[in-house]
Amino acid sequence: EEAMDSWGKFDLLVTVVFWIDLIISFFFSYVDPVTNREVHSLPRVAKHYLRTTFAINLIACIPEEFIKVVLEGLSDIAYPDSLNQALRAARLQRMSRLARVARLT
């Protein structure tokens, strides 16, 4: 019971950190691959982020339990393997983001 509660708190902390990372990523400059110059313009940075990794990062912010409920509601009973694959992909993306955040600290 206590271990599950600790795991739940850790999962909540990770989710909060991911949401913070999702928002502050709108303010990080990037290097334009064509000009090889750093772009600081916030509208251009936001547009670039929305076109590149925003969707993946947003999916990683969604708690696994929520994804499971949605996928179970959308999934046919005939396709349990696709549900498992989708959950594994979401979990893998979440772990990848956690490793990225850990490297930043």
Side-chain angles (χ1 to χ4, degrees):
E1 174 78 27
E2 185 177 319
M4 289 301 286
D5 189 39
S6 296
W7 182 253
K9 288 177 183 177
F10 177 73
D11 191 46
L12 177 63
L13 175 67
V14 168
T15 300
V16 169
V17 170
F18 282 1
W19 280 103
I20 291 169
D21 180 61
L22 181 80
I23 293 167
I24 65 172
S25 291
F26 280 102
F27 302 99
F28 287 138
S29 63
Y30 70 96
V31 176
D32 187 313
V34 176
T35 64
N36 215 22
R37 291 183 176 202
E38 193 168 2
V39 177
H40 297 281
S41 166
L42 288 181
R44 287 184 61 197
V45 168
K47 193 174 186 180
H48 178 263
Y49 180 49
L50 286 169
R51 281 191 268 152
T52 55
T53 58
F54 175 77
I56 295 169
N57 291 346
L58 180 62
I59 291 168
C61 288
I62 300 171
E64 185 178 334
E65 294 80 22
F66 180 77
I67 293 173
K68 185 176 181 181
V69 168
V70 169
L71 290 176
E72 284 176 348
L74 296 175
S75 176
D76 251 5
I77 294 179
Y79 300 107
D81 289 339
S82 62
L83 175 61
N84 284 337
Q85 289 173 346
L87 286 172
R88 278 192 224 135
R91 193 175 305 122
L92 181 61
Q93 173 58 28
R94 192 166 174 85
M95 289 175 14
S96 166
R97 295 254 352 257
L98 181 58
R100 184 176 138 220
V101 169
R103 279 185 297 196
L104 292 176
T105 58

